[in-house]
Amino acid sequence: AEYMGKHITKMSSKKVLFVITSNSHLGNTGKPTGVWLEELAAPYYVFVDAGVQVGMASPLGGRPPVDPGSEADGALTEATRRFVADAAAQEAFSNTAPLEGVRCSDWDAVFYPGGHGPLWDLRTDIRSIALIEEFSARSKPVGAVCHGPAVLINAHAADGRPLVAGKRVTCFSNKNEAAIGLTAVVPQSIETAFVAAGAVFSETEEGGGWASNVAVDGHLVTGQNPASSEGVARALLALLQ
């Protein structure tokens, strides 16, 4: 019991920053996008239930857009239902901090949920890129799931090489994108960019490419799809211990 008490106390001093997209437009299709709710909610409770403090930021601040597809009955999970009904979670989500005021020194790890939104804003956001590069340089865990790993494409290591060069990573794959018919809509293929940067790309064929697949390489944690959300958060949590 004493050990558990120390463990909880240790984790309650840890702080994880969620960086969420502010983009609500799926390119020029006229269709809405945003953050994918499960990729926000499942990791949120992995951390909160472990006693970790979670903060939220976004490029524009305020309440980020949620992809309506992730609010459909078929996409709802125990975690998403809990998140929607959770006053504290909704308060945090409705009042994300603007990215420009965020400092790496205030946080122990950073996590990027997906949804297609990040492809249009966080992928090229210089504040986000600088934040990722600083977390990486300080050997603080960086996590991203599904389309979240797009945020890594333009980040570099201290030696100037792409951050993902030589690293084992995953993301929403070209096969995943083709399966939902958005290959021609996305501004860049994350998988193709990773391979071009010299990453060691990991992809699951299980469940048609929709089963959980988490890649951990040092302090970098990536997940392929919505089913990987909890696994990415648990891998980040392990790195914080």
Side-chain angles (χ1 to χ4, degrees):
E2 185 188 354
Y3 167 76
M4 279 307 293
K6 284 181 180 173
H7 174 71
I8 293 293
T9 306
K10 181 188 173 193
M11 292 312 284
S12 65
S13 66
K14 299 290 185 181
K15 297 170 74 176
V16 176
L17 178 69
F18 280 34
V19 180
I20 305 162
T21 183
S22 292
N23 172 57
S24 61
H25 302 289
L26 191 65
N28 54 14
T29 61
K31 293 177 181 172
T33 188
V35 64
W36 194 262
L37 192 56
E38 181 183 3
E39 296 165 25
L40 173 68
Y44 178 83
Y45 289 112
V46 167
F47 294 118
V48 168
D49 290 347
V52 176
Q53 297 177 55
V54 173
M56 299 185 194
S58 62
L60 300 180
R63 188 178 180 88
V66 175
D67 189 311
S70 70
E71 296 176 304
D73 285 347
L76 295 178
T77 64
E78 187 182 341
T80 62
R81 291 187 182 93
R82 183 178 170 193
F83 190 83
V84 169
D86 182 336
Q90 289 301 311
E91 175 76 11
F93 185 61
S94 295
N95 296 284
T96 66
L99 206 45
E100 63 196 343
V102 170
R103 294 183 311 189
C104 173
S105 55
D106 293 334
W107 305 94
D108 298 296
V110 65
F111 169 70
Y112 288 80
H116 280 81
L119 282 167
W120 281 275
D121 61 354
L122 291 168
R123 178 175 62 96
T124 54
D125 189 297
I126 57 172
R127 297 159 303 180
S128 174
I129 292 164
L131 195 66
I132 290 165
E133 290 175 346
E134 189 175 355
F135 269 87
S136 181
R138 294 187 184 199
S139 296
K140 290 184 174 184
V142 175
V145 69
C146 205
H147 287 91
V151 304
L152 304 171
I153 291 174
N154 294 304
H156 290 80
D159 62 7
R161 296 171 70 215
L163 190 66
V164 298
K167 296 257 179 47
R168 186 169 174 270
V169 292
T170 187
C171 67
F172 201 72
S173 70
N174 289 342
K175 285 180 182 172
N176 288 143
E177 208 69 79
I180 60 169
L182 291 176
T183 304
V185 171
V186 296
Q188 186 173 22
S189 153
I190 312 170
E191 176 187 337
T192 302
F194 280 176
V195 172
V200 181
F201 190 71
S202 158
E203 178 178 10
T204 184
E205 300 291 335
E206 206 179 318
W210 300 100
S212 177
N213 178 35
V214 177
V216 181
D217 195 318
H219 288 83
L220 184 62
V221 181
T222 48
Q224 182 174 338
N225 47 35
S228 311
S229 304
E230 189 171 320
V232 168
R234 294 207 178 282
L236 283 171
L237 192 63
L239 289 172
L240 286 174
Q241 288 171 349

